[in-house]
Amino acid sequence: MPSRSETLASTLTARFGERLRFIPAVAGDVAAEVAADQLLNVCRELRDHADLRFEQLIDLSGVDYLEFGKEEWSTYGSTATGFSRGVNRVRPVVGEPRSGRFAVTYQLLSVTHNWRLRLRCFAIDGEPPLIDSVNDIWASANWYEREAFDLYGLMFQGHPDLRRILTDYGFIGHPFRKDFPLIGNVEVKYDTAKGRVVYQPVSIEPRTLVPRVIREDNRYDQSLHDVPVGAQVESGSRG
């Protein structure tokens, strides 16, 4: 008997054919990619077709693939001299083809069939990157798309009120872009002479962040199990 995810995948294939391309997923989920020029038509069919009935958009997020496939701090332990500023930058081969830098992912739920689907669509390259708004299909997309616009600079064509929602008024840039500096570009402070909050260039010095390393804990050493409190343990048995 096919699993729920297999049934969904076969239903999607029968309905959309080459308009959907399945992409890797985890934990038995079903994920697919749709081209930007097919996004609205496919989303309407996902919502309205009796065999699908994805009535709810439960989440929407932007994705920046600028640094995708790159990894820093390829290590499982610290050294005697610490990490210093030595960053081991490696770039493994990424097998999944990508059609652009910015994408939008849609987490869809079918209450009727108890199905979940992750849909991905790459925005049209440019500045700003363009993609159609699904606000007319799922009303919950309104604030989600504003958030993606604010943090990634994605321009959702057809959105009724596309403006920033998280950052401050007059904020310049998009904080979740991979090329946006971690320390930001400006900082705010209260100017006593002017009697108001002012913006100025950021004064924090950029630095390489130290990675989080999971170290072995000798409290879980097998040789220490069931040893009474205060008992002597042979030297060398501790981790």
Side-chain angles (χ1 to χ4, degrees):
M1 182 176 180
S3 65
R4 186 180 300 277
S5 59
E6 292 172 337
T7 302
L8 173 57
S10 62
T11 303
L12 292 171
T13 301
R15 181 63 186 173
F16 298 106
E18 295 182 355
R19 288 190 291 167
L20 283 185
R21 181 179 70 88
F22 291 101
I23 57 179
V26 297
D29 292 341
V30 178
E33 182 177 308
V34 60
D37 59 352
Q38 293 290 327
L39 175 63
L40 295 184
N41 291 333
V42 167
C43 285
R44 288 193 184 95
E45 292 184 51
L46 287 171
R47 183 194 63 184
D48 298 336
H49 196 277
D51 293 339
L52 298 168
R53 294 295 186 196
F54 284 96
E55 305 99 335
Q56 292 187 16
L57 170 69
I58 58 178
D59 193 19
L60 179 155
S61 176
V63 184
D64 183 359
Y65 283 94
L66 178 65
E67 298 291 328
F68 183 73
K70 297 180 181 179
E71 180 184 8
E72 294 185 359
W73 301 108
S74 182
T75 180
Y76 291 97
S78 61
T79 63
T81 57
F83 290 99
S84 182
R85 299 279 79 84
V87 179
N88 180 21
R89 299 181 186 271
V90 295
R91 184 166 187 167
V93 177
V94 180
E96 182 190 356
R98 299 185 308 282
S99 57
R101 171 179 171 180
F102 293 99
V104 178
T105 60
Y106 307 82
Q107 308 292 340
L108 305 178
L109 172 65
S110 171
V111 178
T112 301
H113 301 293
N114 192 22
W115 282 340
R116 293 177 183 269
L117 171 67
R118 183 171 77 253
L119 189 67
R120 182 177 71 180
C121 182
F122 277 90
I124 299 173
D125 280 340
E127 190 55 54
L130 300 176
I131 192 168
D132 288 321
S133 170
V134 297
N135 180 72
D136 290 340
I137 302 174
W138 295 289
S140 60
N142 193 312
W143 281 18
Y144 290 142
E145 290 180 347
R146 284 181 59 188
E147 181 181 51
F149 162 71
D150 191 355
L151 300 180
Y152 290 95
L154 290 159
M155 183 65 68
F156 291 88
Q157 300 180 103
H159 190 285
D161 186 23
L162 193 62
R163 55 194 169 92
R164 292 189 183 270
I165 191 172
L166 293 177
T167 56
D168 195 8
Y169 295 106
F171 189 89
I172 298 175
H174 305 283
F176 278 11
R177 287 193 176 191
K178 296 294 180 63
D179 53 8
F180 190 87
L182 293 177
I183 60 173
N185 293 312
V186 297
E187 63 186 21
V188 297
K189 72 170 187 177
Y190 183 78
D191 191 311
T192 55
K194 297 181 179 180
R196 61 180 176 87
V197 172
V198 297
Y199 289 83
Q200 64 183 25
V202 66
S203 59
I204 302 174
E205 183 179 350
R207 62 186 179 89
T208 302
L209 300 180
V210 176
R212 174 175 179 265
V213 178
I214 301 177
R215 297 178 174 85
E216 295 185 6
D217 194 330
N218 62 8
R219 291 176 297 175
Y220 301 100
D221 192 328
Q222 291 294 327
S223 64
L224 299 181
H225 284 191
D226 302 322
V227 177
V229 176
Q232 295 293 326
V233 179
E234 295 182 7
S235 61
S237 62
R238 293 181 180 272

